[in-house]
Amino acid sequence: MKAIILAGGQSERFGEPKAFAQIESQTFYERIIDVLEATNMFNQIIISTNENLATQFDYPNIIIDEHQNKDKGPLAGIRSVMSQHLEEELFFVISVDTPMITQKAISKLYQFMVEHLIEDQLDIAGFQEAGRPIPTLAFYSPHTLTYIDKALNSDDYSLKNVYTKVASDWLDVNTIESPDYWYKNINFQHDLDALQHEIINR
């Protein structure tokens, strides 16, 4: 099982590449790698990024988005990794702007996926908040690659254009007993400021 850290976005709203922003004296991507490694669930952790950012990571496992899918968002990043590891049975996908992910959350979601895998033949198992899926915090079966390709070859590169076409199920974020910032995206500088304030005062 492989983990994919999606780190190829432009980060325009944040003002700088979010992968290299810091929380608790650690960059977002380094913190996520540490959490993923601590689960002992993955045989490889891969950063999916673009050619402009690739050399800035202090990490060996980097895959650059395929040229034909340049600037097509998260689906392009997922595809670039999946297409190089067709033998893999499952992929965990996480966006680099979710730096407070926990081992407990990943393990709980994996358990949820396994419980539903055989009976429901799930292709995607992820988290949801208030009934809204969070597809950048989810396990993906390689079976989704066909649908990812179809989406990338259409005019709709959204993750929704994939997860609505396959068997998917979603675990509510409130089932994880952690401060609720564990799954929050950092989209703006003020989001990071608020997170740091919350951590200090927890």
Side-chain angles (χ1 to χ4, degrees):
M1 188 160 60
K2 288 181 171 36
I4 305 171
I5 302 174
L6 298 173
Q10 301 300 319
S11 304
E12 291 176 357
R13 292 179 295 177
F14 192 72
E16 61 182 283
K18 286 186 273 189
F20 310 111
Q22 292 199 355
I23 186 74
E24 296 185 314
S25 302
Q26 202 173 22
T27 63
F28 285 12
Y29 86 89
E30 289 172 327
R31 190 185 190 287
I32 292 172
I33 288 171
D34 282 354
V35 173
L36 292 169
E37 286 180 341
T39 67
N40 290 316
M41 291 169 57
F42 306 103
N43 56 41
Q44 193 175 29
I45 299 164
I46 299 167
I47 295 174
S48 169
T49 190
N50 61 58
E51 57 188 3
N52 296 325
L53 297 179
T55 58
Q56 299 181 46
F57 291 94
D58 184 18
Y59 191 68
N61 301 328
I62 304 286
I63 290 181
I64 297 171
D65 291 346
E66 297 154 316
H67 184 72
Q68 69 270 26
N69 294 319
K70 186 178 179 181
D71 299 327
K72 290 188 178 181
L75 281 183
I78 296 171
R79 191 207 186 280
S80 65
V81 177
M82 275 191 178
S83 64
Q84 293 192 31
H85 298 283
L86 296 174
E87 78 293 344
E88 199 61 63
E89 294 183 357
L90 203 58
F91 298 85
F92 178 64
V93 171
I94 180 168
S95 173
V96 79
D97 61 4
T98 316
M100 302 309 291
I101 185 67
T102 65
Q103 294 180 54
K104 181 168 33 176
I106 298 169
S107 298
K108 186 90 172 179
L109 185 61
Y110 179 67
Q111 182 182 358
F112 175 80
M113 176 94 184
V114 170
E115 286 171 355
H116 293 77
L117 191 60
I118 299 173
E119 183 178 342
D120 301 327
Q121 296 185 313
L122 277 190
D123 295 311
I124 298 175
F127 283 104
Q128 64 177 0
E129 180 186 22
R132 292 183 309 171
I134 307 174
T136 51
L137 204 53
F139 283 96
Y140 285 70
S141 154
H143 177 245
T144 58
L145 185 57
T146 299
Y147 297 87
I148 291 171
D149 282 341
K150 286 179 181 178
L152 289 170
N153 290 322
S154 74
D155 294 326
D156 182 358
Y157 312 142
S158 69
L159 288 160
K160 187 175 183 179
N161 195 20
V162 173
Y163 70 71
T164 56
K165 303 286 199 313
V166 300
S168 60
D169 204 354
W170 309 89
L171 183 63
D172 195 277
V173 292
N174 292 321
T175 61
I176 306 300
E177 296 178 2
S178 297
D180 67 4
Y181 52 67
W182 71 263
Y183 64 90
K184 297 292 187 183
N185 292 111
I186 305 300
N187 292 315
F188 300 92
Q189 287 285 348
H190 63 74
D191 293 335
L192 180 55
D193 294 339
L195 173 59
Q196 290 172 327
H197 179 78
E198 193 170 353
I199 291 172
I200 291 169
N201 291 285
R202 67 184 171 190

